[in-house]
Amino acid sequence: MAGALAAIAALGLSACGGGESGGGGGGQGPAVPPAASEFFVDPSSAAAKQIEQWRGEGRTQDAAALEKIARQPVAIWPTGEQGGVEGEVSGVMSQARAAGRTPVLTAYNIPNRDCGQYSSGGAENEGAYRDWLGAFARGMGGNRAVVVLEPDALPQTLTNCEGEGQQEGREELLSEAVRTLSQAGGEVYIDAGNPGFVTDVGKLADGLRKSGVEQAAGFALNVSNFMNTDQVRAYGDRVSSQVGNARYVIDTSRNGNGDYNGPDQPTWCNPPGRALGTPPTRDTGSQRVAAYLWVKEPGDSDGDCRGAPTAGDFWPQYALELANNTPGA
């Protein structure tokens, strides 16, 4: 780890290639000391850029609070909007190799993504998705990366897309994605929702098997959600027991105060009073929990609710609230 930190210091925390919008950042970000971790810290994340702006405006206290986010490794969600997904992923991998760290990537482009809701979009069809996956894999270049595969895709399939119709063929497509990204060096975790999404553990386990969990590193839980870690682990252990004791990762980015139970709806969309959770680590105290990760960048909007911007856009005030609600550095 000392070697990794020295490598980062030698880099001067400068970015080299890749896109914007969660893609490994172009340009040079502010010098925010990265946390001691195996995982790659993007020096030009949205939070790091906001710190630079606030420092320039004299908002030093707010900038210092936001370092609680900027110094932690957060998953990068390549979009391909800046020069294509292959180049974007390749840029992240290059920076991570130079820093001696493991990047965490989120593959999020399945057709009819988010069932046409706040985060709608994705590839036009299955053929386009396979092309996108191939480009993603080429960008990885056989180098190791943790990959969280398609948040919500399987849970939405199992719940008939909340009334929007069955997503035919998704499990097969996810299984192809597992093979493609694993062969490219990915430690792939298939997203499996959270305890409040698919309550039928047997049904979820069957979906995971059809989606290739046996060829994957495991599955992912609580991505972009707020449920507390103990609650998620209890659920994850039940699921794991039905899929050959597969390991799983938990998104702890915003679960420091657990999920929101107030009157404002929807409860999952930028809820008030939340806090940052356990920083990313492999040291989970459980053989089944492979890692705690920050998959969702704290401060990225869940959707245009409660005065927030479009889903995926950074909302500085919400990021600051998360940081201020979290004790310690």
Side-chain angles (χ1 to χ4, degrees), residues 298-319:
D300 277 3
S301 172
D302 296 312
D304 53 357
C305 61
R306 298 188 174 94
T310 301
D313 287 354
F314 190 69
W315 189 12
Q317 192 56 41
Y318 195 69

Side-chain angles (χ1 to χ4, degrees), residues 56-83:
E57 296 170 352
R59 295 178 59 177
T60 55
Q61 185 173 349
D62 290 344
L66 216 59
E67 287 195 20
K68 295 176 185 178
I69 296 173
R71 70 188 302 269
Q72 295 296 342
V74 179
I76 295 168
W77 301 50
T79 64
E81 294 175 359
Q82 303 290 328

Side-chain angles (χ1 to χ4, degrees), residues 231-252:
Q231 183 181 10
V232 177
R233 280 178 60 160
Y235 177 78
D237 285 350
R238 289 173 58 206
V239 177
S240 173
S241 294
Q242 296 205 26
V243 287
N245 295 321
R247 304 184 79 199
Y248 59 94
V249 296
I250 299 174
D251 184 357
T252 58

Side-chain angles (χ1 to χ4, degrees), residues 6-169:
I8 287 178
L11 279 174
L13 291 176
S14 62
C16 52
E20 297 177 0
S21 184
Q28 182 166 341
V32 177
S37 168
E38 168 196 345
F39 305 113
F40 172 65
V41 179
D42 182 1
S44 53
S45 66
K49 291 175 181 177
Q50 190 62 53
I51 288 171
E52 185 174 39
Q53 179 182 328
W54 280 349
R55 284 176 178 166
E57 296 170 352
R59 295 178 59 177
T60 55
Q61 185 173 349
D62 290 344
L66 216 59
E67 287 195 20
K68 295 176 185 178
I69 296 173
R71 70 188 302 269
Q72 295 296 342
V74 179
I76 295 168
W77 301 50
T79 64
E81 294 175 359
Q82 303 290 328
V85 72
E86 180 178 348
E88 195 170 335
V89 172
S90 178
V92 175
M93 300 299 298
S94 177
Q95 291 181 73
R97 284 199 308 274
R101 295 195 176 194
T102 304
V104 181
L105 305 171
T106 304
Y108 189 53
N109 197 41
I110 202 161
N112 196 26
R113 189 179 68 195
D114 200 30
C115 301
Q117 299 181 73
Y118 285 133
S119 296
S120 62
E124 184 177 355
N125 52 49
E126 291 188 2
Y129 183 62
R130 292 186 177 98
D131 291 342
W132 185 86
L133 281 172
F136 195 115
R138 289 194 298 275
M140 291 172 62
N143 296 290
R144 186 181 179 207
V146 174
V147 182
V148 177
L149 181 61
E150 296 298 343
D152 292 343
L154 177 60
Q156 286 174 339
T157 299
L158 299 177
T159 57
N160 293 329
C161 232
E162 301 297 337
E164 295 296 324
Q166 180 72 24
Q167 305 301 290
E168 296 292 341

